[in-house]
């Protein structure tokens, strides 16, 4: 006797369950935690007052006096703030006066500072008269730098304006430029702007070509701090969030699988699919085995873990007897019958719902959407998307060469 048509599946309404985990809400929470982690990993290390700085430094002024010109610099305060004046001699076509902040002295490479965790240097500054100053960061360059020769250190710089109003200047430590004259003198390509923030010797505040000449210029720096992120804390926090998110997705997937299985089992109970078969006598072991086999197939076909081996284990039947019993009752082998049930239900869901092909494949017992598409195409001679728009019958032709996943 052959198994009756499975189109009875379309006569029952879809059972809708509430999602076990609200993933959109969870996603929003994790994004918020990511922003919070970024804020918590932020670091601020003041350089003023000098006694509280985690990077010990000293002031080293410099001018062009050694060239025989009259540029000068005078420091009024260097402990709690930086307060200095300078005068540029107009007789020198390229005068300079700068206030150096030195972190490393001598020839010990270990004295160089690592600023790789910092992104900005913030200065609260004012100038009288209005001025354009230059920030110069001196870093050790493996190709040309020599300890004891400060001019061989790479001078990466950035310009900023200041006037008689207090303002905060943010120096981006990742976007400094190396002057062309230094690159040419060092026989380096003029496009070489790379500098190493892990090997810093000093920085300086100096004049620019637009600074006034033969005038006493005053510069006051009230606050000076390094800004950045604790990358170790940030990266490990991101790893922890990622692992938690993966665990959440895995748990949600397991709960979804459980819910879908419960839906299919409840649907089978409502349909009472067992009554679709001719009644089997209950007075023999053979009929009991048949009933158990048919019940297993019709109630658990959507379980992705159901296969011939698990059926044999649960029913206590050997492979030959199980296939022979199912062939006698349905005209199909185990794999073909299982595929027949899954594909018929998939066809119904394609017609009656707006669920995606991947969701439907998962609901009817296929863990692999690509494999489902291949099996569906072989059974119906069209893709799931084409079937949705067609008038083909829900029940596919029986094909004993098709295996269930």
């Amino acid at each position: 006797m052959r198994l009756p048509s499975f189109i009875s599946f379309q006569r029952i309404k879809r059972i809708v369950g509430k999602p076990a985990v609200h993933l959109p809400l969870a996603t929003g929470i994790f994004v918020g935690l990511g922003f919070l982690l970024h804020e918590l990993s932020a670091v601020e290390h003041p350089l003023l007052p000098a006694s509280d700085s985690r990077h010990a430094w000293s002031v080293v002024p410099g001018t062009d006096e050694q060239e025989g010109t009259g540029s000068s610099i005078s420091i009024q305060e260097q402990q709690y703030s930086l307060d200095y004046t300078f005068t540029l001699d107009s007789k020198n076509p390229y005068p300079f006066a700068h206030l150096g902040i030195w972190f490393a002295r001598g020839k010990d490479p270990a004295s160089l500072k690592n600023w790789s965790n910092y992104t900005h240097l913030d200065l609260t500054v004012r100038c009288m008269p209005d001025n354009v100053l230059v920030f110069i960061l001196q870093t050790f360059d493996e190709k040309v730098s020599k300890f004891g020769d400060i001019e061989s250190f790479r001078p990466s710089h950035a310009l900023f304006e200041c006037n008689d109003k207090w303002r905060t200047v943010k120096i981006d430590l990742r976007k400094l430029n190396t002057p062309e004259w230094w690159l040419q003198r060092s026989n380096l390509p003029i496009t070489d702007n790379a500098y190493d923030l892990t090997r810093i010797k000093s920085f300086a505040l100096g004049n620019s070509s637009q600074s006034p000449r033969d005038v006493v210029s005053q510069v006051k720096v009230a606050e000076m701090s390094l800004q950045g992120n604790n990358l170790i804390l940030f990266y490990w926090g991101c790893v922890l969030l990622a692992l938690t998110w993966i665990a959440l997705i895995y748990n949600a997937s397991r709960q979804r699988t459980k819910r879908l299985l419960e839906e299919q089992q409840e649907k089978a109970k409502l349909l009472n699919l067992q009554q679709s078969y001719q009644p089997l006598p209950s007075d023999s072991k053979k009929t009991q085995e048949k009933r158990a086999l048919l019940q297993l197939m019709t109630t658990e076909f959507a379980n992705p873990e159901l296969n011939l081996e698990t059926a044999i284990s649960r029913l206590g039947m050997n492979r030959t007897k199980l296939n022979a019993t199912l062939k006698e009752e349905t005209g199909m082998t185990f794999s073909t019958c299982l595929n027949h049930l899954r594909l018929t239900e998939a066809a119904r869901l394609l017609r009656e719902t707006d669920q995606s092909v991947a969701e439907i494949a998962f609901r009817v017992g296929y863990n692999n959407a690509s494999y489902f598409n291949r099996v569906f195409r072989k059974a119906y001679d069209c893709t799931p998307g084409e079937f949705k728009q067609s008038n083909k019958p829900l029940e596919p032709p029986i094909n004993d060469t098709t295996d269930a996943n």
Side-chain angles (χ1 to χ4, degrees), residues 256-309:
R256 178 179 174 82
T257 301
K258 180 180 178 181
R259 179 171 56 84
L260 292 176
L261 289 175
E262 290 174 349
E263 287 181 7
Q264 296 298 337
Q265 291 168 359
E266 181 64 22
K267 188 181 299 182
K269 291 178 183 178
L270 294 174
L271 288 171
N272 197 13
L273 291 179
Q274 296 93 320
Q275 295 181 359
S276 297
Y277 308 102
Q278 289 190 358
L280 298 173
S282 58
D283 56 349
S284 70
K285 180 179 179 181
K286 181 178 180 179
T287 56
Q288 291 175 1
E289 289 177 341
K290 288 180 182 179
R291 183 182 297 111
L293 174 57
L294 294 176
Q295 184 175 13
L296 176 69
M297 296 296 291
T298 56
T299 59
E300 296 212 31
F301 68 89
N303 184 348
E305 297 181 359
L306 180 62
N307 55 38
L308 182 58
E309 297 302 324

Side-chain angles (χ1 to χ4, degrees), residues 318-342:
N318 63 49
R319 182 187 302 267
T320 302
K321 184 176 182 181
L322 188 150
N323 269 319
T325 301
L326 199 57
K327 189 81 172 179
E328 177 184 349
E329 293 300 309
T330 69
M332 292 177 279
T333 63
F334 178 91
S335 294
T336 303
C337 183
L338 181 57
N339 245 357
H340 199 89
L341 284 161
R342 288 175 172 175

Side-chain angles (χ1 to χ4, degrees), residues 62-65 67 69-72 86-98 134 206-214:
T63 68
D64 56 15
E65 285 182 308
E67 299 177 8
T69 54
S71 297
S72 62
F86 67 89
T87 305
L88 300 177
D89 189 347
S90 61
K91 295 177 183 179
N92 187 341
Y94 303 105
F96 70 88
H98 62 248
V134 61
N207 65 282
S208 71
S209 60
Q210 294 186 358
S211 295
R213 312 296 174 89
D214 299 324

